[in-house]
Amino acid sequence: MNKEMEFNILVTSDIHGHIYPTDYRTDEERQIGIAKLAAFIKQERSKNAEVLLVDNGDLIQGTPLASYVNLYAREAIHPAVAVLNELGYDAAVVGNHEFNYGMDVLRKVMGDSEFPWLSAGILSEATNSPAFGKPYIVKHLENGIKVALLGVTTHYIPNWETAENIKGLKFNDALETVKAWTAYIREKEKPDLLVVAYHGGFERDLKSGEPAERLTGENQGYAMCTEVEGIDVLITGHQHRMLADEVNGVTIIQTGCNGMAVGKISVVLIKENDTWKVKEKRAELLRPSETIAADSAIMALTQEVETAAQAWLDQPIGQVIGDMSISSALECRKSDHPFIAFINKVQMDAADVEISNTSLLSNESRGFGSIVTMRDVLTNFMYPNTLTVLRLTGRDIREALEQTAAYFQVGKNGEVVVNPAYLEPKAQHYNYDMWGGIQYELNVAKPIGERVVYLKRNGESLDPAAEYDVVMNNYRASGGGDYLMYREKPVIREIATEMAELMANYMLQHGSIQASNEQKWRVVAEPVV
């Protein structure tokens, strides 16, 4: 006689330190955060005790709370880990941002976790074996059902991360890792269901299979679904998309970011001739609303450190004379803006150079008001980037400006608009740079690669063969964002202090800063005659 059994896989991913349902820019409540998601998790557990609960990476970094913990509360259990412990997670996957604070922090986080961290493709150079212990786990359900969970991380991390933070590690191709370990698990464990949790996303359109981005290897989810035999469920992340679908018979899920949703995969198995077979799989996203209260136990668990972080964030550290506020991210990116000019000034002062580039990291950035607090600094600089000085030629600088000009195109009414390639499948506003120390004009009505129509320094045309020292964040200096002209260029110096700390220190040292705008660059869409 046939038997059926249903169980659920619950997934979080890219939480980025969001525990409370808090907008750290305004201290207002939002429908995000793992305290909100905890209500779904507990509810699903009450309906069905057989649950596989997984976090898919980028857990410990991303909020001002996470920054406060890293600066002032490293010895305590990281609040995000404390929450996952309390909720009884079965496993977590290592995300790329887990490395941002260095291996000492990551090792402590793992040591405090009551669940294993998985990443099959990240190896120790010394042993050539998985650096964090288990590459996979097997969960035994009632009736003898075996569920295998393999964890893997995008191998593109060395293209972004500071070398010191990943010293002694080797990053194997994620797709090849999944192929090898899936075959091994199927042969050795003979699971009734095999789940791959991949901190990476989809490189192709899910329906057409057409490339959705330049195929660098950063995201390989589509290839995993179409080229690897034996995967039943693929958990994804990294791109911050909201997906619940199926590709080539593989059920897939991606849960956005910051605690926007819990992913739920319902699996029905049927027993035939003493063997369990997958009968049905369904994927859905459970999104919190105003009617879902944040879980009080989870809130209480982290209340002390949250309260301390909020008080720290509200400390004034300086004032602005003039206006550095941003009312429109698009307008800020179209011409020289006092806030961007100030960032470049701080970078140039820190690096002792005369040319700099930077980006507006998020469309939610609002610049600085008249009084600047730590909250203002950390909400504008949410990534723990450090600075690197590269020696570039004038030709390299022109190529970099051509790359950045691809961010724009001409709209239907002749206006400057954002190129859709920078919006889908993942918003990449941080890959558009704005420069200080040079004067330039970009005409986005011209073909990509021919848009730099004016480029000078101190009134003189930039010599293509001359060399210039340029400061930028470490992500960009590594070539991140397809800035291939930076790769293998001489590194003149590295500033190990994070950009948010440099900005805060500058404000504290000077007390007040002057907003200035010399209009040294602009973006236009002038018809080509």
Side-chain angles (χ1 to χ4, degrees), residues 187-427:
E187 175 65 26
K188 183 178 187 298
E189 305 290 353
K190 296 180 171 53
D192 300 298
L193 189 85
L194 198 154
V195 180
V196 175
Y198 168 48
H199 190 82
F202 289 95
E203 73 281 25
R204 295 180 181 273
D205 180 86
L206 300 187
K207 301 303 180 187
S208 70
E210 291 298 312
E213 61 184 28
R214 196 169 69 88
L215 301 179
T216 63
E218 176 182 349
N219 299 299
Q220 299 172 298
Y222 190 88
M224 289 177 185
C225 291
T226 56
E227 297 180 23
V228 183
E229 294 290 333
I231 300 175
D232 294 303
V233 174
L234 180 66
I235 298 165
T236 62
H238 185 56
Q239 292 173 312
H240 300 181
R241 299 168 69 186
M242 302 283 278
L243 301 171
D245 211 328
E246 186 174 287
V247 177
N248 193 37
V250 179
T251 303
I252 64 102
I253 199 91
Q254 192 171 147
T255 60
C257 63
N258 304 341
M260 295 168 61
V262 171
K264 177 183 176 183
I265 303 102
S266 302
V267 182
V268 178
L269 294 109
I270 186 168
K271 194 171 187 179
E272 299 176 345
N273 301 321
D274 294 326
T275 302
W276 288 98
K277 302 287 187 183
V278 176
K279 178 184 177 183
E280 183 181 352
K281 299 174 292 176
R282 304 183 306 275
E284 60 180 311
L285 295 168
L286 309 178
R287 301 193 65 172
S289 66
E290 293 180 359
T291 61
I292 301 293
D295 187 271
S296 57
I298 297 302
M299 299 273 277
L301 189 66
T302 58
Q303 183 174 4
E304 184 177 345
V305 68
E306 174 75 15
T307 300
Q310 289 288 355
W312 173 66
L313 288 171
D314 286 332
Q315 294 177 5
I317 58 173
Q319 62 178 337
V320 173
I321 301 170
D323 186 6
M324 281 191 186
S325 64
I326 297 172
S327 58
S328 164
L330 178 64
E331 293 305 313
C332 177
R333 295 186 178 104
K334 285 169 57 179
S335 63
D336 212 347
H337 188 281
F339 180 67
I340 299 301
F342 178 60
I343 298 174
N344 278 320
K345 175 177 173 52
V346 172
Q347 292 189 173
M348 288 187 282
D349 282 1
D352 193 25
V353 298
E354 296 180 347
I355 303 178
S356 168
N357 67 55
T358 190
S359 58
L360 186 66
L361 297 175
S362 167
N363 272 8
E364 295 183 346
S365 294
R366 292 295 175 260
F368 288 160
S370 58
I371 301 297
V372 181
T373 65
M374 283 301 302
R375 187 185 304 277
D376 298 318
V377 171
L378 287 167
T379 52
N380 281 287
F381 300 93
M382 69 284 289
Y383 301 115
N385 293 130
T386 56
L387 297 178
T388 301
V389 177
L390 297 183
R391 183 153 292 164
L392 305 176
T393 64
R395 183 176 295 105
D396 295 327
I397 292 173
R398 179 178 286 273
E399 288 181 10
L401 285 168
E402 292 289 0
Q403 172 64 31
T404 214
Y407 174 81
F408 288 119
Q409 65 181 36
V410 181
K412 292 180 180 179
N413 299 316
E415 76 278 23
V416 176
V417 299
V418 178
N419 183 341
Y422 286 79
L423 300 174
E424 297 291 343
K426 175 184 177 180

Side-chain angles (χ1 to χ4, degrees), residues 398-456:
R398 179 178 286 273
E399 288 181 10
L401 285 168
E402 292 289 0
Q403 172 64 31
T404 214
Y407 174 81
F408 288 119
Q409 65 181 36
V410 181
K412 292 180 180 179
N413 299 316
E415 76 278 23
V416 176
V417 299
V418 178
N419 183 341
Y422 286 79
L423 300 174
E424 297 291 343
K426 175 184 177 180
Q428 299 179 55
H429 302 296
Y430 52 82
N431 282 330
Y432 172 76
D433 288 339
M434 293 159 281
W435 289 65
I438 58 174
Q439 302 83 49
Y440 63 93
E441 181 173 300
L442 309 176
N443 184 359
V444 298
K446 295 175 71 68
I448 289 177
E450 302 175 17
R451 292 178 165 183
V452 180
V453 295
Y454 181 90
L455 177 56
K456 293 189 176 183

Side-chain angles (χ1 to χ4, degrees), residues 470-524:
V470 180
V471 62
M472 63 194 75
N473 71 48
N474 62 297
Y475 169 76
R476 186 69 77 240
S478 69
D482 293 337
Y483 286 79
L484 305 183
M485 71 292 301
Y486 294 154
R487 294 186 179 176
E488 310 301 327
K489 290 299 187 293
V491 175
I492 303 306
R493 71 180 63 89
E494 295 179 289
I495 294 93
T497 306
E498 292 177 14
M499 189 58 201
E501 186 176 349
L502 287 173
M503 181 65 70
N505 289 342
Y506 189 97
M507 297 293 299
L508 288 166
Q509 179 183 351
H510 291 82
S512 63
I513 54 175
Q514 179 72 50
S516 63
N517 189 350
E518 300 180 18
Q519 293 296 317
K520 292 186 176 180
W521 62 267
R522 66 173 184 161
V523 178
V524 299

Side-chain angles (χ1 to χ4, degrees), residues 6-12 34 37-55 83-91 114-115 139 141 262-264 286 295 298:
E6 179 173 349
F7 80 101
N8 296 325
I9 304 165
L10 299 179
V11 178
T12 55
I34 199 166
L37 303 186
F40 289 122
I41 292 169
K42 290 182 177 181
Q43 183 182 56
E44 292 299 325
R45 274 224 174 99
S46 70
K47 293 190 296 187
N48 186 346
E50 296 289 0
V51 168
L52 177 67
L53 181 55
V54 184
D55 185 78
V83 169
L84 266 59
N85 286 344
E86 176 70 16
L87 290 172
Y89 272 67
D90 290 290
E114 296 172 5
F115 49 86
K139 181 158 184 168
L141 308 181
V262 171
K264 177 183 176 183
L286 309 178
D295 187 271
I298 297 302

Side-chain angles (χ1 to χ4, degrees), residues 33-81:
I34 199 166
K36 282 266 190 179
L37 303 186
F40 289 122
I41 292 169
K42 290 182 177 181
Q43 183 182 56
E44 292 299 325
R45 274 224 174 99
S46 70
K47 293 190 296 187
N48 186 346
E50 296 289 0
V51 168
L52 177 67
L53 181 55
V54 184
D55 185 78
N56 197 42
D58 280 5
L59 175 69
I60 66 171
Q61 175 278 337
T63 55
L65 171 64
S67 297
Y68 175 82
V69 169
N70 183 57
L71 289 170
Y72 300 108
R74 278 193 180 189
E75 298 309 309
I77 295 178
H78 193 290
V81 170

Side-chain angles (χ1 to χ4, degrees), residues 92 94 99 103 106-108 110-111 116-136 151-153 157 165-172 177 181:
V94 180
F99 295 97
M103 286 301 298
L106 181 51
R107 292 290 185 190
K108 184 182 185 306
M110 291 180 171
W117 287 77
L118 312 177
S119 191
I122 303 178
L123 308 184
S124 164
E125 288 183 339
T127 64
N128 205 40
S129 60
F132 306 116
K134 295 182 178 181
Y136 70 92
V152 66
T153 309
I157 290 171
N165 288 351
I166 55 174
K167 187 176 180 180
L169 299 178
K170 182 168 66 172
F171 294 81
N172 281 359
T177 296
W181 278 103

